[in-house]
Amino acid sequence: MDKLNWAILEELQKNARVGFAEIGRKVGLTSPAVAERVRKMEDSGIIDSYHVHLSHQKAGYQLRAIITLRAFTGRLKAFLETVKEYPEVINCYRITGNENIIMEVVLRDQVHLEKLIDKLITYGETRTHIVLSNVIKDAPIVQRIG
């Protein structure tokens, strides 16, 4: 990874639909050179997918929360198999510490949250934190570590 690849990644993270010619103008390469670098980053797994970033709020999911789960003895494996079926869960991480799981969820309202918690408590003890705002919104990772 050189500085040009990091610059290309930064542009793609800002807008994955931007054309290679536009990226090339910004980083000082030709369109074919950008395309070749992107292809190599895809082939090597550095770029593993492209995503649509949607507004959950505009789609009717007004509430965002972080929920941690401390699994009951023998219930973690069952949870890990089931959590993928919960459409509210947009990110789920297995973690170290007192809790086993941390999830980011989007919900229509408090009633929706209550129903989700009712499902989760069969697997363990939960703690819920309502998200008020996003302090670092969609910052390209290359700005942070590159």
mmCIF file of all heavy atoms in Angstrom, residues 94-133:
data_model
loop_
_atom_site.group_PDB
_atom_site.id
_atom_site.type_symbol
_atom_site.label_atom_id
_atom_site.label_comp_id
_atom_site.label_asym_id
_atom_site.label_seq_id
_atom_site.Cartn_x
_atom_site.Cartn_y
_atom_site.Cartn_z
ATOM 1 N N ARG A 94 -18.596 -9.879 18.784
ATOM 2 C CA ARG A 94 -18.243 -10.677 19.959
ATOM 3 C C ARG A 94 -17.046 -9.979 20.587
ATOM 4 O O ARG A 94 -16.074 -9.673 19.899
ATOM 5 C CB ARG A 94 -17.897 -12.101 19.524
ATOM 6 C CG ARG A 94 -17.781 -13.038 20.672
ATOM 7 C CD ARG A 94 -17.751 -14.467 20.204
ATOM 8 N NE ARG A 94 -17.517 -15.329 21.345
ATOM 9 C CZ ARG A 94 -17.314 -16.607 21.259
ATOM 10 N NH1 ARG A 94 -17.323 -17.197 20.073
ATOM 11 N NH2 ARG A 94 -17.110 -17.326 22.347
ATOM 12 N N ILE A 95 -17.132 -9.725 21.894
ATOM 13 C CA ILE A 95 -16.125 -8.899 22.553
ATOM 14 C C ILE A 95 -15.582 -9.572 23.811
ATOM 15 O O ILE A 95 -16.144 -10.552 24.303
ATOM 16 C CB ILE A 95 -16.710 -7.514 22.923
ATOM 17 C CG1 ILE A 95 -17.919 -7.660 23.865
ATOM 18 C CG2 ILE A 95 -17.086 -6.737 21.664
ATOM 19 C CD1 ILE A 95 -18.433 -6.358 24.451
ATOM 20 N N THR A 96 -14.507 -8.997 24.333
ATOM 21 C CA THR A 96 -13.958 -9.438 25.608
ATOM 22 C C THR A 96 -14.538 -8.569 26.719
ATOM 23 O O THR A 96 -15.123 -7.521 26.459
ATOM 24 C CB THR A 96 -12.419 -9.308 25.622
ATOM 25 O OG1 THR A 96 -12.072 -7.929 25.434
ATOM 26 C CG2 THR A 96 -11.783 -10.153 24.527
ATOM 27 N N GLY A 97 -14.366 -9.013 27.945
ATOM 28 C CA GLY A 97 -14.860 -8.243 29.078
ATOM 29 C C GLY A 97 -16.050 -8.922 29.732
ATOM 30 O O GLY A 97 -16.304 -10.110 29.519
ATOM 31 N N ASN A 98 -16.794 -8.176 30.515
ATOM 32 C CA ASN A 98 -17.941 -8.733 31.239
ATOM 33 C C ASN A 98 -19.057 -9.177 30.309
ATOM 34 O O ASN A 98 -19.773 -10.128 30.603
ATOM 35 C CB ASN A 98 -18.489 -7.730 32.252
ATOM 36 C CG ASN A 98 -17.542 -7.533 33.413
ATOM 37 O OD1 ASN A 98 -16.813 -8.445 33.789
ATOM 38 N ND2 ASN A 98 -17.542 -6.341 33.980
ATOM 39 N N GLU A 99 -19.249 -8.472 29.217
ATOM 40 C CA GLU A 99 -20.263 -8.852 28.243
ATOM 41 C C GLU A 99 -19.607 -9.655 27.122
ATOM 42 O O GLU A 99 -18.418 -9.539 26.887
ATOM 43 C CB GLU A 99 -20.958 -7.617 27.654
ATOM 44 C CG GLU A 99 -21.904 -6.919 28.613
ATOM 45 C CD GLU A 99 -21.225 -5.888 29.500
ATOM 46 O OE1 GLU A 99 -20.061 -5.546 29.218
ATOM 47 O OE2 GLU A 99 -21.850 -5.433 30.461
ATOM 48 N N ASN A 100 -20.414 -10.465 26.439
ATOM 49 C CA ASN A 100 -19.909 -11.278 25.333
ATOM 50 C C ASN A 100 -20.148 -10.619 23.983
ATOM 51 O O ASN A 100 -19.426 -10.862 23.026
ATOM 52 C CB ASN A 100 -20.612 -12.640 25.287
ATOM 53 C CG ASN A 100 -20.538 -13.383 26.587
ATOM 54 O OD1 ASN A 100 -21.484 -13.318 27.369
ATOM 55 N ND2 ASN A 100 -19.446 -14.055 26.852
ATOM 56 N N ILE A 101 -21.215 -9.801 23.921
ATOM 57 C CA ILE A 101 -21.696 -9.277 22.641
ATOM 58 C C ILE A 101 -22.004 -7.795 22.782
ATOM 59 O O ILE A 101 -22.528 -7.357 23.807
ATOM 60 C CB ILE A 101 -23.000 -10.002 22.214
ATOM 61 C CG1 ILE A 101 -22.775 -11.509 22.043
ATOM 62 C CG2 ILE A 101 -23.617 -9.375 20.971
ATOM 63 C CD1 ILE A 101 -21.888 -11.879 20.870
ATOM 64 N N ILE A 102 -21.714 -7.039 21.722
ATOM 65 C CA ILE A 102 -22.186 -5.662 21.619
ATOM 66 C C ILE A 102 -22.845 -5.523 20.245
ATOM 67 O O ILE A 102 -22.290 -5.979 19.238
ATOM 68 C CB ILE A 102 -21.063 -4.620 21.838
ATOM 69 C CG1 ILE A 102 -21.624 -3.213 21.900
ATOM 70 C CG2 ILE A 102 -19.978 -4.747 20.794
ATOM 71 C CD1 ILE A 102 -20.651 -2.177 22.425
ATOM 72 N N MET A 103 -24.048 -4.947 20.243
ATOM 73 C CA MET A 103 -24.821 -4.813 19.010
ATOM 74 C C MET A 103 -25.219 -3.366 18.789
ATOM 75 O O MET A 103 -25.523 -2.654 19.742
ATOM 76 C CB MET A 103 -26.125 -5.622 19.103
ATOM 77 C CG MET A 103 -25.946 -7.097 19.205
ATOM 78 S SD MET A 103 -27.513 -7.895 19.661
ATOM 79 C CE MET A 103 -27.420 -7.754 21.445
ATOM 80 N N GLU A 104 -25.244 -2.968 17.544
ATOM 81 C CA GLU A 104 -25.847 -1.701 17.149
ATOM 82 C C GLU A 104 -27.169 -2.062 16.488
ATOM 83 O O GLU A 104 -27.209 -2.898 15.581
ATOM 84 C CB GLU A 104 -24.952 -0.940 16.182
ATOM 85 C CG GLU A 104 -25.526 0.378 15.756
ATOM 86 C CD GLU A 104 -24.640 1.122 14.773
ATOM 87 O OE1 GLU A 104 -23.618 0.572 14.315
ATOM 88 O OE2 GLU A 104 -24.993 2.271 14.435
ATOM 89 N N VAL A 105 -28.238 -1.449 16.959
ATOM 90 C CA VAL A 105 -29.565 -1.771 16.443
ATOM 91 C C VAL A 105 -30.283 -0.509 16.023
ATOM 92 O O VAL A 105 -30.031 0.573 16.550
ATOM 93 C CB VAL A 105 -30.412 -2.541 17.487
ATOM 94 C CG1 VAL A 105 -29.734 -3.849 17.869
ATOM 95 C CG2 VAL A 105 -30.693 -1.716 18.719
ATOM 96 N N VAL A 106 -31.166 -0.640 15.035
ATOM 97 C CA VAL A 106 -32.043 0.449 14.625
ATOM 98 C C VAL A 106 -33.475 -0.041 14.770
ATOM 99 O O VAL A 106 -33.792 -1.176 14.426
ATOM 100 C CB VAL A 106 -31.757 0.942 13.188
ATOM 101 C CG1 VAL A 106 -30.409 1.636 13.114
ATOM 102 C CG2 VAL A 106 -31.828 -0.187 12.186
ATOM 103 N N LEU A 107 -34.319 0.842 15.316
ATOM 104 C CA LEU A 107 -35.675 0.450 15.677
ATOM 105 C C LEU A 107 -36.661 1.541 15.311
ATOM 106 O O LEU A 107 -36.301 2.709 15.239
ATOM 107 C CB LEU A 107 -35.731 0.192 17.190
ATOM 108 C CG LEU A 107 -34.649 -0.773 17.680
ATOM 109 C CD1 LEU A 107 -33.940 -0.220 18.875
ATOM 110 C CD2 LEU A 107 -35.233 -2.127 17.946
ATOM 111 N N ARG A 108 -37.903 1.148 15.107
ATOM 112 C CA ARG A 108 -38.936 2.124 14.781
ATOM 113 C C ARG A 108 -39.240 3.032 15.978
ATOM 114 O O ARG A 108 -39.406 4.234 15.818
ATOM 115 C CB ARG A 108 -40.203 1.413 14.325
ATOM 116 C CG ARG A 108 -40.059 0.748 12.957
ATOM 117 C CD ARG A 108 -41.339 0.087 12.503
ATOM 118 N NE ARG A 108 -41.801 -0.947 13.411
ATOM 119 C CZ ARG A 108 -41.348 -2.203 13.447
ATOM 120 N NH1 ARG A 108 -40.409 -2.575 12.609
ATOM 121 N NH2 ARG A 108 -41.831 -3.082 14.301
ATOM 122 N N ASP A 109 -39.320 2.433 17.166
ATOM 123 C CA ASP A 109 -39.730 3.182 18.357
ATOM 124 C C ASP A 109 -39.431 2.365 19.609
ATOM 125 O O ASP A 109 -38.838 1.280 19.523
ATOM 126 C CB ASP A 109 -41.220 3.537 18.282
ATOM 127 C CG ASP A 109 -42.102 2.323 17.987
ATOM 128 O OD1 ASP A 109 -41.748 1.192 18.394
ATOM 129 O OD2 ASP A 109 -43.149 2.507 17.340
ATOM 130 N N GLN A 110 -39.883 2.851 20.766
ATOM 131 C CA GLN A 110 -39.621 2.181 22.035
ATOM 132 C C GLN A 110 -40.320 0.826 22.112
ATOM 133 O O GLN A 110 -39.809 -0.110 22.734
ATOM 134 C CB GLN A 110 -40.053 3.062 23.221
ATOM 135 C CG GLN A 110 -39.174 4.267 23.427
ATOM 136 C CD GLN A 110 -39.568 5.464 22.549
ATOM 137 O OE1 GLN A 110 -40.336 5.369 21.603
ATOM 138 N NE2 GLN A 110 -39.010 6.617 22.864
ATOM 139 N N VAL A 111 -41.488 0.713 21.528
ATOM 140 C CA VAL A 111 -42.199 -0.573 21.523
ATOM 141 C C VAL A 111 -41.376 -1.623 20.779
ATOM 142 O O VAL A 111 -41.229 -2.761 21.224
ATOM 143 C CB VAL A 111 -43.611 -0.421 20.905
ATOM 144 C CG1 VAL A 111 -44.284 -1.772 20.728
ATOM 145 C CG2 VAL A 111 -44.464 0.505 21.756
ATOM 146 N N HIS A 112 -40.816 -1.228 19.661
ATOM 147 C CA HIS A 112 -39.954 -2.116 18.878
ATOM 148 C C HIS A 112 -38.738 -2.522 19.718
ATOM 149 O O HIS A 112 -38.343 -3.701 19.724
ATOM 150 C CB HIS A 112 -39.541 -1.401 17.593
ATOM 151 C CG HIS A 112 -38.869 -2.268 16.587
ATOM 152 N ND1 HIS A 112 -38.446 -1.777 15.382
ATOM 153 C CD2 HIS A 112 -38.523 -3.570 16.571
ATOM 154 C CE1 HIS A 112 -37.868 -2.736 14.689
ATOM 155 N NE2 HIS A 112 -37.899 -3.835 15.391
ATOM 156 N N LEU A 113 -38.151 -1.574 20.438
ATOM 157 C CA LEU A 113 -37.017 -1.863 21.320
ATOM 158 C C LEU A 113 -37.412 -2.874 22.388
ATOM 159 O O LEU A 113 -36.680 -3.835 22.649
ATOM 160 C CB LEU A 113 -36.502 -0.572 21.971
ATOM 161 C CG LEU A 113 -35.419 -0.736 23.044
ATOM 162 C CD1 LEU A 113 -34.172 -1.406 22.482
ATOM 163 C CD2 LEU A 113 -35.077 0.627 23.646
ATOM 164 N N GLU A 114 -38.552 -2.671 22.992
ATOM 165 C CA GLU A 114 -38.999 -3.583 24.044
ATOM 166 C C GLU A 114 -39.161 -5.011 23.507
ATOM 167 O O GLU A 114 -38.746 -5.979 24.153
ATOM 168 C CB GLU A 114 -40.321 -3.091 24.629
ATOM 169 C CG GLU A 114 -40.828 -3.949 25.770
ATOM 170 C CD GLU A 114 -42.105 -3.410 26.372
ATOM 171 O OE1 GLU A 114 -42.776 -2.558 25.760
ATOM 172 O OE2 GLU A 114 -42.435 -3.866 27.486
ATOM 173 N N LYS A 115 -39.723 -5.152 22.315
ATOM 174 C CA LYS A 115 -39.898 -6.474 21.715
ATOM 175 C C LYS A 115 -38.559 -7.141 21.427
ATOM 176 O O LYS A 115 -38.388 -8.348 21.638
ATOM 177 C CB LYS A 115 -40.740 -6.373 20.445
ATOM 178 C CG LYS A 115 -42.199 -6.086 20.714
ATOM 179 C CD LYS A 115 -42.991 -5.939 19.429
ATOM 180 C CE LYS A 115 -44.443 -5.606 19.750
ATOM 181 N NZ LYS A 115 -45.240 -5.398 18.539
ATOM 182 N N LEU A 116 -37.591 -6.357 20.963
ATOM 183 C CA LEU A 116 -36.260 -6.911 20.705
ATOM 184 C C LEU A 116 -35.610 -7.357 22.011
ATOM 185 O O LEU A 116 -35.045 -8.454 22.088
ATOM 186 C CB LEU A 116 -35.369 -5.895 19.983
ATOM 187 C CG LEU A 116 -33.934 -6.366 19.720
ATOM 188 C CD1 LEU A 116 -33.905 -7.605 18.824
ATOM 189 C CD2 LEU A 116 -33.111 -5.244 19.116
ATOM 190 N N ILE A 117 -35.690 -6.525 23.032
ATOM 191 C CA ILE A 117 -35.106 -6.897 24.328
ATOM 192 C C ILE A 117 -35.760 -8.165 24.865
ATOM 193 O O ILE A 117 -35.084 -9.045 25.414
ATOM 194 C CB ILE A 117 -35.207 -5.732 25.332
ATOM 195 C CG1 ILE A 117 -34.263 -4.600 24.899
ATOM 196 C CG2 ILE A 117 -34.865 -6.196 26.746
ATOM 197 C CD1 ILE A 117 -34.416 -3.323 25.680
ATOM 198 N N ASP A 118 -37.064 -8.299 24.698
ATOM 199 C CA ASP A 118 -37.759 -9.509 25.142
ATOM 200 C C ASP A 118 -37.195 -10.762 24.460
ATOM 201 O O ASP A 118 -37.106 -11.829 25.070
ATOM 202 C CB ASP A 118 -39.266 -9.408 24.880
ATOM 203 C CG ASP A 118 -39.965 -8.444 25.829
ATOM 204 O OD1 ASP A 118 -39.359 -8.049 26.861
ATOM 205 O OD2 ASP A 118 -41.116 -8.069 25.535
ATOM 206 N N LYS A 119 -36.793 -10.635 23.199
ATOM 207 C CA LYS A 119 -36.164 -11.763 22.505
ATOM 208 C C LYS A 119 -34.754 -12.018 23.053
ATOM 209 O O LYS A 119 -34.364 -13.166 23.259
ATOM 210 C CB LYS A 119 -36.061 -11.484 21.004
ATOM 211 C CG LYS A 119 -37.364 -11.446 20.262
ATOM 212 C CD LYS A 119 -37.090 -11.090 18.793
ATOM 213 C CE LYS A 119 -38.343 -10.789 18.025
ATOM 214 N NZ LYS A 119 -38.028 -10.364 16.642
ATOM 215 N N LEU A 120 -34.021 -10.933 23.259
ATOM 216 C CA LEU A 120 -32.617 -11.065 23.675
ATOM 217 C C LEU A 120 -32.455 -11.630 25.073
ATOM 218 O O LEU A 120 -31.484 -12.348 25.336
ATOM 219 C CB LEU A 120 -31.915 -9.706 23.569
ATOM 220 C CG LEU A 120 -31.785 -9.101 22.177
ATOM 221 C CD1 LEU A 120 -31.192 -7.705 22.264
ATOM 222 C CD2 LEU A 120 -30.954 -9.991 21.268
ATOM 223 N N ILE A 121 -33.371 -11.319 25.979
ATOM 224 C CA ILE A 121 -33.181 -11.739 27.372
ATOM 225 C C ILE A 121 -33.308 -13.251 27.559
ATOM 226 O O ILE A 121 -32.938 -13.762 28.615
ATOM 227 C CB ILE A 121 -34.113 -10.979 28.353
ATOM 228 C CG1 ILE A 121 -35.578 -11.228 28.029
ATOM 229 C CG2 ILE A 121 -33.764 -9.503 28.373
ATOM 230 C CD1 ILE A 121 -36.538 -10.608 29.043
ATOM 231 N N THR A 122 -33.745 -13.952 26.529
ATOM 232 C CA THR A 122 -33.737 -15.415 26.629
ATOM 233 C C THR A 122 -32.314 -15.966 26.486
ATOM 234 O O THR A 122 -32.067 -17.114 26.829
ATOM 235 C CB THR A 122 -34.641 -16.062 25.556
ATOM 236 O OG1 THR A 122 -34.126 -15.767 24.266
ATOM 237 C CG2 THR A 122 -36.077 -15.562 25.689
ATOM 238 N N TYR A 123 -31.399 -15.130 25.997
ATOM 239 C CA TYR A 123 -30.011 -15.547 25.811
ATOM 240 C C TYR A 123 -29.075 -15.034 26.891
ATOM 241 O O TYR A 123 -27.982 -15.554 27.066
ATOM 242 C CB TYR A 123 -29.494 -15.079 24.444
ATOM 243 C CG TYR A 123 -30.257 -15.688 23.317
ATOM 244 C CD1 TYR A 123 -31.256 -14.983 22.662
ATOM 245 C CD2 TYR A 123 -30.000 -16.996 22.915
ATOM 246 C CE1 TYR A 123 -31.975 -15.551 21.626
ATOM 247 C CE2 TYR A 123 -30.720 -17.575 21.881
ATOM 248 C CZ TYR A 123 -31.711 -16.848 21.251
ATOM 249 O OH TYR A 123 -32.425 -17.420 20.225
ATOM 250 N N GLY A 124 -29.476 -13.976 27.588
ATOM 251 C CA GLY A 124 -28.587 -13.434 28.610
ATOM 252 C C GLY A 124 -29.079 -12.099 29.132
ATOM 253 O O GLY A 124 -30.176 -11.642 28.814
ATOM 254 N N GLU A 125 -28.226 -11.488 29.915
ATOM 255 C CA GLU A 125 -28.522 -10.188 30.530
ATOM 256 C C GLU A 125 -28.134 -9.079 29.556
ATOM 257 O O GLU A 125 -27.033 -9.077 29.008
ATOM 258 C CB GLU A 125 -27.703 -10.068 31.817
ATOM 259 C CG GLU A 125 -27.884 -8.798 32.577
ATOM 260 C CD GLU A 125 -26.975 -8.756 33.796
ATOM 261 O OE1 GLU A 125 -26.822 -9.786 34.464
ATOM 262 O OE2 GLU A 125 -26.410 -7.676 34.052
ATOM 263 N N THR A 126 -29.042 -8.146 29.342
ATOM 264 C CA THR A 126 -28.779 -7.066 28.391
ATOM 265 C C THR A 126 -28.611 -5.729 29.107
ATOM 266 O O THR A 126 -29.120 -5.531 30.206
ATOM 267 C CB THR A 126 -29.929 -6.916 27.371
ATOM 268 O OG1 THR A 126 -31.116 -6.543 28.061
ATOM 269 C CG2 THR A 126 -30.148 -8.198 26.594
ATOM 270 N N ARG A 127 -27.910 -4.843 28.434
ATOM 271 C CA ARG A 127 -27.826 -3.433 28.821
ATOM 272 C C ARG A 127 -28.046 -2.637 27.546
ATOM 273 O O ARG A 127 -27.434 -2.917 26.522
ATOM 274 C CB ARG A 127 -26.466 -3.081 29.411
ATOM 275 C CG ARG A 127 -26.247 -3.626 30.773
ATOM 276 C CD ARG A 127 -24.999 -3.052 31.375
ATOM 277 N NE ARG A 127 -24.799 -3.675 32.675
ATOM 278 C CZ ARG A 127 -23.708 -3.592 33.370
ATOM 279 N NH1 ARG A 127 -22.683 -2.904 32.900
ATOM 280 N NH2 ARG A 127 -23.607 -4.173 34.535
ATOM 281 N N THR A 128 -28.896 -1.640 27.647
ATOM 282 C CA THR A 128 -29.262 -0.859 26.472
ATOM 283 C C THR A 128 -28.840 0.585 26.650
ATOM 284 O O THR A 128 -29.065 1.170 27.703
ATOM 285 C CB THR A 128 -30.789 -0.924 26.240
ATOM 286 O OG1 THR A 128 -31.162 -2.288 26.095
ATOM 287 C CG2 THR A 128 -31.179 -0.149 25.000
ATOM 288 N N HIS A 129 -28.241 1.136 25.617
ATOM 289 C CA HIS A 129 -27.811 2.533 25.595
ATOM 290 C C HIS A 129 -28.417 3.173 24.358
ATOM 291 O O HIS A 129 -28.163 2.734 23.235
ATOM 292 C CB HIS A 129 -26.280 2.630 25.540
ATOM 293 C CG HIS A 129 -25.598 1.817 26.593
ATOM 294 N ND1 HIS A 129 -25.343 2.286 27.849
ATOM 295 C CD2 HIS A 129 -25.158 0.532 26.572
ATOM 296 C CE1 HIS A 129 -24.752 1.341 28.553
ATOM 297 N NE2 HIS A 129 -24.628 0.272 27.804
ATOM 298 N N ILE A 130 -29.224 4.198 24.544
ATOM 299 C CA ILE A 130 -29.835 4.910 23.428
ATOM 300 C C ILE A 130 -28.799 5.872 22.829
ATOM 301 O O ILE A 130 -28.159 6.629 23.551
ATOM 302 C CB ILE A 130 -31.082 5.706 23.882
ATOM 303 C CG1 ILE A 130 -32.102 4.773 24.527
ATOM 304 C CG2 ILE A 130 -31.693 6.486 22.717
ATOM 305 C CD1 ILE A 130 -32.635 3.680 23.633
ATOM 306 N N VAL A 131 -28.648 5.839 21.528
ATOM 307 C CA VAL A 131 -27.710 6.724 20.839
ATOM 308 C C VAL A 131 -28.382 8.079 20.644
ATOM 309 O O VAL A 131 -29.480 8.168 20.109
ATOM 310 C CB VAL A 131 -27.298 6.135 19.470
ATOM 311 C CG1 VAL A 131 -26.442 7.124 18.697
ATOM 312 C CG2 VAL A 131 -26.574 4.810 19.656
ATOM 313 N N LEU A 132 -27.714 9.134 21.109
ATOM 314 C CA LEU A 132 -28.223 10.495 20.934
ATOM 315 C C LEU A 132 -27.722 11.120 19.640
ATOM 316 O O LEU A 132 -28.463 11.796 18.937
ATOM 317 C CB LEU A 132 -27.822 11.366 22.127
ATOM 318 C CG LEU A 132 -28.344 10.897 23.490
ATOM 319 C CD1 LEU A 132 -27.795 11.794 24.599
ATOM 320 C CD2 LEU A 132 -29.862 10.870 23.510
ATOM 321 N N SER A 133 -26.442 10.917 19.341
ATOM 322 C CA SER A 133 -25.878 11.461 18.105
ATOM 323 C C SER A 133 -24.606 10.702 17.758
ATOM 324 O O SER A 133 -24.052 9.986 18.591
ATOM 325 C CB SER A 133 -25.569 12.959 18.259
ATOM 326 O OG SER A 133 -24.576 13.163 19.246
#
